[in-house]
Amino acid sequence: SMDDEKSPQILNSSSNFLGFCFLVLTSLKFFKLSDTTFIDEITAVCFVIFMFSCLCAFLSIRSKTKRAEFYETLAEYSFLAGLIIIFLMTVLFMLKVIY
């Protein structure tokens, strides 16, 4: 069924965003901007959310029980939460509300 394809896609996308968050965090630390901005805190929260999403998607793929659906749902909603937070952070950054 089509639902079987969801978890691998969530795992792939979440791990890509995980890399993005890691790049942002290390860049802010490298350029010593983490003291002057809230972006590193928000990105760290996104990092944790995407890591949780990766973990749940992986567990969903590996699970042979009915619990796989539960893990997939957790992966899906945590991925969506991470996307929304990154979206809001970007909009606030563009509107110069956060620096």
Side-chain angles (χ1 to χ4, degrees), residues 74-94:
L74 281 177
E76 211 171 352
Y77 284 118
S78 55
F79 178 74
L80 183 61
L83 277 183
I84 290 168
I85 294 170
I86 284 183
F87 171 73
L88 292 174
M89 179 176 70
T90 306
V91 169
L92 292 173
F93 180 73
M94 284 169 41

Side-chain angles (χ1 to χ4, degrees), residues 25-82:
L25 285 171
T26 52
S27 298
L28 289 170
K29 295 277 184 216
F30 181 77
F31 293 111
K32 296 184 175 38
L33 296 171
S34 51
D35 296 336
T36 58
T37 181
F38 284 112
I39 294 173
D40 60 322
E41 285 91 349
I42 299 168
T43 305
V45 169
C46 284
F47 186 91
V48 171
I49 290 171
F50 286 125
M51 180 57 84
F52 180 75
S53 182
C54 282
L55 182 66
C56 289
F58 177 79
L59 289 173
S60 173
I61 293 166
R62 297 298 302 151
S63 182
K64 304 281 185 257
T65 64
K66 193 85 175 118
R67 206 175 273 170
E69 252 178 78
F70 174 69
Y71 289 138
E72 186 173 79
T73 303
L74 281 177
E76 211 171 352
Y77 284 118
S78 55
F79 178 74
L80 183 61

